[in-house]
Amino acid sequence: MHLDGIDILISEVGPRDGLQSVSSIMPTEAKKVWIKALADAGLREIEVGSFVPAKVLPQLADTAEIVTFARTIPGIQVATLVPNLKGAENAIAAGAQKITFPLSVSETHSQKNLRMTHEQAFIQIKGIVELIKSLPADKRPLFEGSLSTAFGCTLEGEVPLTKLVKVAETLIGLGCDEVGLADTTGYANPAQVKLTITEIWNAVGKDKLTGIHLHNTRGLGLANVLAALETGLTTFDSSLGGLGGCPFAPGASGNIVTEDLVFMLDSMGLRTGIDIAKLLKVREIVQAAIPAETMYGFTPDAGVPLHYVQGGHGWGLSA
Ligand SMILES: [Zn+2]
């Protein structure tokens, strides 16, 4: 997808990662208002749900309807998670433009999260690649293999980098368009982020890894963004109000906060295409729809600096 006037693509995952890990169920109509408001604020990619059985995640039971709705909004790429071939079939039928298979590099986490060994997951991925190939070229979604628990696992501990690289090579070999790094558990540190990106690039090529999904579990979220940015990644997942976590990774909480991420990038002079004032207003929609849930973020509390001018002009960078 070509994005004019944007240096950094922020992929908003609140409607998926955020909602799947809170107990409140957001009404479908509120989700639609939220997603529309995100698009109006300038978000260009939104992960709107996950095609998992409703009994597993009732919060996301309306994903097909949400995808269909989101496709009516011009200018956004509609992304969803698909945990298996059946999910991919449903996602494609609903019109998803990007689908992500979350493969846990930690096999123990894979068993818990997807109830699949790696070999079983690879069979599903192969099936999804074949399904996509059978579609006319203009109907094919982008297919990302997400390397979940890439930086460590709450069930296995350290995830060896050699294993991570091997799984990345396997996913690309099976036909994924790209791999994504996901710090599902909030274990990553900036040095690890730099090393990991470099090693995966060396193995599969720079064009096969462009994005990273970070959590702020230990307060290192934005430091990890900066490390990834300096290494050369240009796509960052984040969640409005820092909603999110992983219900199957105990202790993993909170995506990085979209509002703080946008402020950091914008104040550094990078263009995100996102209007911070409008973005801050979107919080009200979410808070009203799920009032029991806590919304995080420093920029929302403190506001932008006095006389701050948005739009990637930078702050304090001129002579
Ligand atoms: Zn996550």
Side-chain angles (χ1 to χ4, degrees), residues 180-229:
L181 282 169
D183 185 19
T184 318
T185 55
Y187 276 17
N189 67 66
Q192 185 189 18
V193 166
K194 287 186 175 179
L195 177 66
T196 302
I197 294 167
T198 305
E199 290 295 312
I200 292 184
W201 276 354
N202 287 341
V204 300
K206 266 192 165 186
D207 59 323
K208 300 292 185 196
L209 169 67
T210 59
I212 190 164
H213 175 102
L214 295 161
H215 283 232
N216 198 37
T217 315
R218 289 171 180 76
L220 301 188
L222 289 185
N224 289 332
V225 168
L226 192 61
L229 188 65

Side-chain angles (χ1 to χ4, degrees), residues 13 16-17 20 182-184 213-215 244-246 255:
V13 300
R16 194 278 302 170
D17 204 344
Q20 83 169 35
D183 185 19
T184 318
H213 175 102
L214 295 161
H215 283 232
C246 176
N255 286 285

Side-chain angles (χ1 to χ4, degrees), residues 75-88:
I76 61 167
Q77 171 146 281
V78 179
T80 68
L81 222 61
V82 297
N84 49 42
L85 175 58
K86 182 80 201 144

Side-chain angles (χ1 to χ4, degrees), residues 89-164:
E89 286 167 359
N90 292 336
I92 289 166
Q97 293 155 301
K98 177 180 175 184
I99 59 175
T100 298
F101 186 101
L103 181 79
S104 300
V105 181
S106 149
E107 201 141 1
T108 316
H109 187 268
S110 178
Q111 303 258 23
K112 283 255 184 208
N113 198 31
L114 298 180
R115 295 192 185 84
M116 281 182 229
T117 63
H118 279 178
E119 281 311 314
Q120 289 168 323
F122 294 152
I123 290 167
Q124 297 292 316
I125 290 168
K126 228 184 247 174
I128 295 170
V129 169
E130 277 162 23
L131 170 66
I132 292 172
K133 277 189 187 154
S134 74
L135 300 169
D138 63 333
K139 298 275 185 248
R140 289 176 194 166
L142 185 77
F143 183 31
E144 179 193 62
S146 169
L147 299 158
S148 301
T149 64
F151 300 95
C153 172
T154 46
L155 305 164
E156 282 191 9
E158 203 170 348
V159 169
L161 187 50
T162 46
K163 183 174 173 186
L164 177 65

